Amino acid sequence: EAVHRIKKGASSLIKDVEDFYDLDHKTLSNLSYSTTYDEKIKLFNFEKNILVVDDNKEMCGFLKFVLSKLYKVHTAEDGEEALRIAKEIKPDLIVSDIMMPKVDGYELCRKIKADKDLSIIPIILLTARANNVYARIKGLEIGADDYLVKPFNVKELVARINALLRMRGLYT
């Protein structure tokens, strides 16, 4: 029931949701019972901390639900809370919406990249402003490592997360 509500609430923002679940189910079911816990951890990056930041509770919940199959996921409702959490846990990557109350995604990115202890953390910015090239350029100029426009394909988000982790030497 809860899964259905989350998928329904986020379906307008994310493409190919069912395809992602089918792929994930097939991948998980292909693991043999002899696969060790350590092998599963390495395969699915469970040791990697991802911070998801979005003021839309349905979207944040959906991303946590999907990404927690692959990573350890923490959430924040705005940039102010995200900055506090980032200082505590030092996540391996941040996925943040841009338009949020208090501290928006741009300001969060600016503050993360200005902090010597956090500046190495890759940031993916998400936005619903598909046609605004200037918004994408602004995000990249202030230090975002990647930018994804809603609606997006969940598998593409996971591929981008893994690519950034790989570039940082955190994922092989």
Side-chain angles (χ1 to χ4, degrees):
E1 174 65 37
V3 172
H4 178 71
R5 279 196 341 264
I6 290 171
K7 285 176 16 181
K8 185 178 177 188
S11 64
S12 65
L13 299 173
I14 299 179
K15 298 177 186 175
D16 301 327
V17 173
E18 292 299 328
D19 189 37
F20 177 82
Y21 285 102
D22 290 344
L23 173 71
D24 186 53
H25 177 70
K26 287 175 191 170
T27 304
L28 288 171
S29 64
N30 285 337
L31 288 175
S32 72
Y33 287 109
S34 64
T35 305
T36 68
Y37 179 76
D38 288 339
E39 289 170 325
K40 290 177 186 178
I41 292 290
K42 187 173 183 184
L43 181 63
F44 290 104
N45 299 302
F46 287 131
E47 77 277 9
K48 303 300 179 235
N49 284 300
I50 306 294
L51 176 57
V52 173
V53 190
D54 200 316
D55 62 321
N56 179 322
K57 290 181 187 206
E58 289 173 337
M59 182 60 148
C60 196
F62 178 79
L63 287 173
K64 180 176 182 173
F65 176 77
V66 170
L67 295 176
S68 66
K69 294 174 180 266
L70 305 168
Y71 316 98
K72 186 184 289 183
V73 179
H74 307 268
T75 61
E77 292 185 8
D78 60 59
E80 187 177 281
E81 181 184 11
L83 190 58
R84 190 177 68 254
I85 292 171
K87 287 178 180 182
E88 284 176 27
I89 68 165
K90 307 258 188 318
D92 297 301
L93 185 135
I94 296 172
V95 177
S96 177
D97 188 27
I98 289 177
M99 296 181 65
M100 297 180 292
K102 297 180 185 175
V103 176
D104 67 15
Y106 292 131
E107 188 61 22
L108 171 64
C109 185
R110 207 176 277 114
K111 288 180 177 188
I112 294 286
K113 296 303 180 176
D115 186 310
K116 67 180 175 93
D117 294 328
L118 304 176
S119 63
I120 190 102
I121 300 171
I123 299 174
I124 299 175
L125 292 177
L126 305 175
T127 188
R129 294 181 172 181
N131 297 326
N132 191 338
V133 69
Y134 299 108
R136 291 193 304 268
I137 291 169
K138 179 180 178 181
L140 294 170
E141 284 180 345
I142 62 170
D145 297 272
D146 207 345
Y147 200 101
L148 203 54
V149 176
K150 298 174 189 175
F152 56 86
N153 182 302
V154 175
K155 287 189 279 186
E156 181 180 5
L157 174 60
V158 169
R160 289 174 185 250
I161 289 171
N162 287 339
L164 287 168
L165 293 174
R166 211 173 15 258
M167 284 192 288
R168 294 291 196 261
L170 298 171
Y171 171 67
T172 56

